[in-house]
Amino acid sequence: MKISKIFMGILGAIAILIGGGYYYVFVLGAPQLDPPQEETNTGLKFQLETFNSQAMGTVRNYGVILPPGYSKNAQKRYPVIFLLHGGHDDARAYVDKYAILNILSELYKSKKLPPSIVITPDGNDNRGSSPLYDPDYFDGPHGKIGTLIGSELVQVVKSRYRTLKSPQFWALGGLSSGGWGALNIGLRYLNNFNIFFSHSGYFTDSSGPQNSPQQIVQRLSLDDRKRLRIYLDAGANDTDFLASTKAFHQTLNQLGIANVFYSFPGGHGLSGVDIGWNYFHKHLKDSLAYVGEQFNNSKIK
């Protein structure tokens, strides 16, 4: 009898653990235990907007953060930065998880990044968001996310905001699967984007070489290679992503493509000063400073 009660108690404890784990991952979205601290006085505002997407056949949304003073000078045009989220994220992730408003405010004040129009697309495909899979950042069986981000949303942004037109003033980057997505989409749309960045992303995709930047970049013309500026980093804990990023960096060097590569402590995870949301918050400052350097080198007027 005692053994039966002990056994039932063990089963009950296991059920509680499973239920709690399910709630934490699938309902709460596996939130960071020690997220980056947000400031409320940055002067920047995040706005969620919608548009009718022909590529996806439905209404889609994106986030926008307009630069300081955008409304004061109706003639001034700005560079543009697209930020792609990772798995189980959405258009709000950079604000809600990675405290991007703090980062932008700091970079604007230090003049490491000129005032820019920042766009955070919803990159989820027709399956929606789930911790079980990453978004398909390409045109495939789950929707035309590649066309949505690489072409359609670009035209929406150009029609709604005062953007600089040249692709040397347009950057596309992301974290985790968004880092892969930025290169997988962007390398197909070099008339729209010339600057790219990836945080703990990967460059060979399981869907095949057609969606693997490691292969795509080798098929670019010499003129296209000269247009590219690429920032790469990966966490030392993310051994697979680090290996993929390092291999991509080596390929870029062999092709004579301008790029920088860093390995930093930490990586994916749920808690720690260099882990998870904190890793991406910290190193978005590095990638966006690199983007700012490229914008300034192109002599924004």
Side-chain angles (χ1 to χ4, degrees):
M1 189 69 175
K2 290 183 178 180
I3 295 176
S4 177
K5 288 183 177 180
I6 293 173
F7 180 70
M8 293 302 293
I10 292 173
L11 287 180
I14 292 174
I16 291 172
L17 288 173
I18 292 174
Y22 179 91
Y23 183 80
Y24 181 78
V25 173
F26 290 92
V27 178
L28 297 181
Q32 181 89 14
L33 300 178
D34 52 354
Q37 295 301 305
E38 296 184 57
E39 296 178 11
T40 58
N41 59 348
T42 63
L44 299 173
K45 181 181 179 182
F46 174 85
Q47 186 72 35
L48 201 62
E49 302 288 355
T50 62
F51 69 102
N52 290 313
S53 171
Q54 293 185 0
M56 295 296 289
T58 188
V59 174
R60 300 285 297 198
N61 62 38
Y62 67 90
V64 58
I65 306 166
L66 294 176
Y70 181 85
S71 62
K72 294 181 179 179
N73 186 346
Q75 304 304 313
K76 186 172 182 179
R77 293 186 172 273
Y78 296 87
V80 180
I81 303 169
F82 275 35
L83 298 172
L84 302 189
H85 61 74
H88 204 38
D89 277 353
D90 56 24
R92 294 195 56 91
Y94 279 90
V95 173
D96 293 345
K97 295 183 177 182
Y98 311 117
I100 190 67
L101 298 182
N102 300 14
I103 296 168
L104 293 172
S105 177
E106 180 180 325
L107 293 176
Y108 290 157
K109 289 177 181 177
S110 66
K111 299 189 183 305
K112 291 183 178 180
L113 177 69
S116 303
I117 297 169
V118 177
I119 303 295
T120 61
D122 177 358
N124 289 300
D125 53 56
N126 286 331
R127 297 171 298 172
S129 175
S130 171
L132 298 177
Y133 49 75
D134 288 336
D136 276 353
Y137 279 115
F138 56 85
D139 288 358
H142 302 299
K144 296 182 178 180
I145 293 294
T147 298
L148 169 78
I149 293 171
S151 177
E152 190 175 48
L153 186 54
V154 169
Q155 299 310 313
V156 170
V157 170
K158 286 182 176 180
S159 71
R160 294 183 176 182
Y161 309 103
R162 299 194 310 274
T163 70
L164 291 167
K165 303 302 183 183
S166 171
Q168 64 190 359
F169 297 115
W170 284 66
L172 175 59
L175 51 87
S176 192
S177 57
W180 156 67
L183 274 297
N184 193 47
I185 292 173
L187 292 176
R188 307 168 198 268
Y189 291 97
L190 295 184
N191 288 334
N192 291 335
F193 301 94
N194 282 177
I195 304 169
F196 303 98
F197 54 98
S198 168
H199 299 280
S200 271
Y202 50 91
F203 301 91
T204 299
D205 189 61
S206 59
S207 62
Q210 73 278 9
N211 293 312
S212 298
Q214 177 70 258
Q215 303 299 320
I216 297 170
V217 74
Q218 298 182 55
R219 299 195 293 267
L220 296 179
S221 69
L222 181 59
D223 286 343
D224 281 344
R225 294 175 193 176
K226 291 179 179 178
R227 301 163 67 184
L228 297 177
R229 300 291 184 270
I230 301 175
Y231 169 100
L232 304 169
D233 76 44
N237 293 3
D238 293 331
T239 53
D240 290 343
F241 295 154
L242 177 60
S244 184
T245 303
K246 187 174 183 179
F248 188 61
H249 162 65
Q250 292 170 343
T251 297
L252 296 178
N253 284 345
Q254 292 168 2
L255 296 173
I257 295 173
N259 77 100
V260 297
F261 162 70
Y262 302 98
S263 174
F264 295 119
H268 287 72
L270 296 177
S271 179
V273 295
D274 292 309
I275 301 298
W277 300 1
N278 290 320
Y279 177 93
F280 297 125
H281 173 83
K282 179 182 291 187
H283 299 301
L284 276 164
K285 296 178 185 178
D286 299 314
S287 63
L288 293 178
Y290 175 87
V291 169
E293 182 181 355
Q294 308 315 308
F295 286 162
N296 286 328
N297 287 344
S298 297
K299 298 180 180 178
I300 295 174
K301 297 181 180 179

